[in-house]
Amino acid sequence: MKRILSLIAIAAGMAALASCAKEAFVAPAENNTIIPEGMKEVVFSTILSKTTIAEGQPVWAEKDSVKILWVEDNGEAGLAVCETKAEVNPVDGTIKAVVGEARDYYYAVYPQWATSTLEASADNPDYLQVTVKSTSADGSWAAAHYAAALTTAGELTFNFKSVSNALKFEVTTPGVTKVQISTPDEAMTAAKVKFAFDGEEISETVEVVTPQKTSTVTVNGPGTYYAPIICDAQWLSGFVVSEYVGNELVSFSEATNPLSWGRSEIYNIGTVEDHTSTTHDWFFKADGNGTGESWDNAAGIEKFIELLS
C-alpha cells in the first residue's frame, strides 16, 4: 500500500519531477494511520472565520474538511508542491493530518473540494490560487464561504481568512429552484483569485482569472440562502437578482446603486420578492430562445407575447 500525494515540482528556470510520497513506512500511529517514511502526523489548531453560524459565532461543523498544501525542497530536483486533505474536529477545531517537512509554511484551503493550486517560488512569495465558483449547490453559508490560512512549520496554527464574501437573501415564493445574481457591467461575481500572504493576512489579489458575471444558487423554495462573491469586487452599476422555477423566470429585483465589496463581508438584501421590479429592459430577437434578460440570453416572439399578456 502506498499513499500518493499530488505534486507539482518547480526548478529554477524549468519544471522538475520530485516525489512527495515515500516508498518505505514507519510504524502506524496510535490511530492506526499508516505514515510514509519522511512524513509525520501533526495536529494543527485553528482560529476560525467559518463555517456554521451558531448564535452569531462561526463554528466548525461535522465533516468539515480542509485541503493542506506545503512546499518541499528537494535540492537539485527542485521544489515540490504537495497536498493532502483532512477533517476538522468540530469540538476543538483541531486538524490531524499526515504531512511532509515543509520548506517554510503550511497552507490550508476551505472547503477541501475548492479548486486550488499553490505556485511555489525560490525567490518570491508563494502564490495561492483559489476558485470561487459561480454555482452553489445548496445555498448554505458553508458552501458560500471560501477561506484560506497560512502557518509556519513551527507554529502549526491556521488563522483562517476569507477568500470570498457572501450575498444573503430570503426566498418566500414556493417552488423556486434557483436564484441568479448578475452584474450588468464588467463587474465580477466569481473567478479564480490569486494572492499571497502578508504574515497571517491575505494580501491584495494579484490576479483574477476567468471572471464570471453571473452566479447561480440552487434553492429549495422558501428559506435563507447565501451566494459566494469574490472579494474586492466593484459593482458600479448595481446588480440583478432573478428567481426561477425550473428554467422559467418568475421574478427579479434590480439594485442600481453601486456596491463595493471589501473582504469578509455579508451583504443582506433581505427578501428577494420585496424588491421585485415592475419595469425591466427586455431583449428580443427573431431566433431568440432565452429569458430576455440580456442580448446573450435574448427571448423570441413567444416569450415576447407572454410578457405582454
Side-chain angles (χ1 to χ4, degrees):
M1 177 179 180
K2 182 169 72 174
R3 181 182 179 87
I4 299 176
L5 302 179
S6 302
L7 60 92
I8 302 172
I10 303 169
M14 63 178 295
L17 187 63
S19 177
C20 297
K22 313 298 179 182
E23 295 297 331
F25 296 87
V26 297
E30 292 182 2
N31 59 359
N32 295 320
T33 300
I34 301 299
I35 302 177
E37 184 181 5
M39 306 286 280
K40 59 183 179 180
E41 186 176 62
V42 300
V43 178
F44 297 93
S45 59
T46 60
I47 299 174
L48 199 55
S49 64
K50 72 156 328 309
T51 61
T52 298
I53 298 179
E55 298 180 358
Q57 298 297 321
V59 296
W60 291 108
E62 290 286 344
K63 303 299 182 181
D64 267 339
S65 298
V66 300
K67 180 190 292 185
I68 300 173
L69 306 96
W70 68 94
V71 180
E72 291 185 5
D73 190 343
N74 291 291
E76 294 182 358
L79 303 179
V81 176
C82 310
E83 66 179 53
T84 189
K85 297 174 182 178
E87 283 193 8
V88 183
N89 185 326
V91 177
D92 59 11
T94 57
I95 304 170
K96 185 178 292 185
V98 175
V99 298
E101 294 289 344
R103 180 188 56 160
D104 296 306
Y105 307 103
Y106 292 100
Y107 299 82
V109 175
Y110 180 92
Q112 58 88 6
W113 47 258
T115 302
S116 57
T117 57
L118 182 61
E119 182 181 308
S121 172
D123 303 314
N124 300 305
D126 297 334
Y127 289 104
L128 189 62
Q129 180 174 282
V130 178
T131 299
V132 177
K133 294 177 63 176
S134 60
T135 58
S136 178
D138 61 9
S140 66
W141 162 248
H145 191 83
Y146 295 71
L150 170 148
T151 187
T152 64
E155 292 182 353
L156 301 181
T157 298
F158 286 129
N159 188 356
F160 280 88
K161 305 296 180 181
S162 295
V163 179
S164 66
N165 296 305
L167 188 74
K168 180 180 179 180
F169 57 91
E170 303 279 341
V171 172
T172 59
T173 303
V176 172
T177 57
K178 69 178 179 181
V179 172
Q180 286 188 336
I181 298 94
S182 57
T183 56
D185 51 24
E186 295 304 313
M188 297 168 286
T189 61
K192 298 177 182 178
V193 290
K194 180 179 175 181
F195 54 87
F197 281 86
D198 182 6
E200 292 184 341
E201 299 295 327
I202 292 177
S203 66
E204 293 185 3
T205 301
V206 297
E207 186 177 0
V208 174
V209 184
T210 59
Q212 305 293 316
K213 296 177 60 176
T214 299
S215 291
T216 303
V217 180
T218 299
V219 301
N220 186 22
T224 301
Y225 300 98
Y226 299 84
I229 304 296
I230 64 170
C231 296
D232 304 319
Q234 304 295 318
W235 292 2
L236 300 180
S237 300
F239 59 97
V240 175
V241 180
S242 306
E243 289 183 318
Y244 291 83
V245 174
N247 292 320
E248 181 183 356
L249 177 67
V250 295
S251 73
F252 61 87
S253 60
E254 193 168 16
T256 57
N257 56 298
L259 180 59
S260 179
W261 293 91
R263 187 176 296 277
S264 301
E265 294 182 345
I266 298 177
Y267 186 71
N268 187 359
I269 65 170
T271 303
V272 173
E273 291 83 357
D274 288 346
H275 305 283
T276 299
S277 300
T278 56
T279 60
H280 188 71
D281 292 327
W282 295 99
F283 300 85
F284 303 94
K285 55 184 180 182
D287 59 347
N289 59 5
T291 62
E293 297 175 272
S294 67
W295 278 122
D296 293 336
N297 196 24
I301 187 62
E302 291 183 1
K303 184 69 175 180
F304 177 70
I305 295 172
E306 175 188 333
L307 290 169
L308 290 179
S309 60

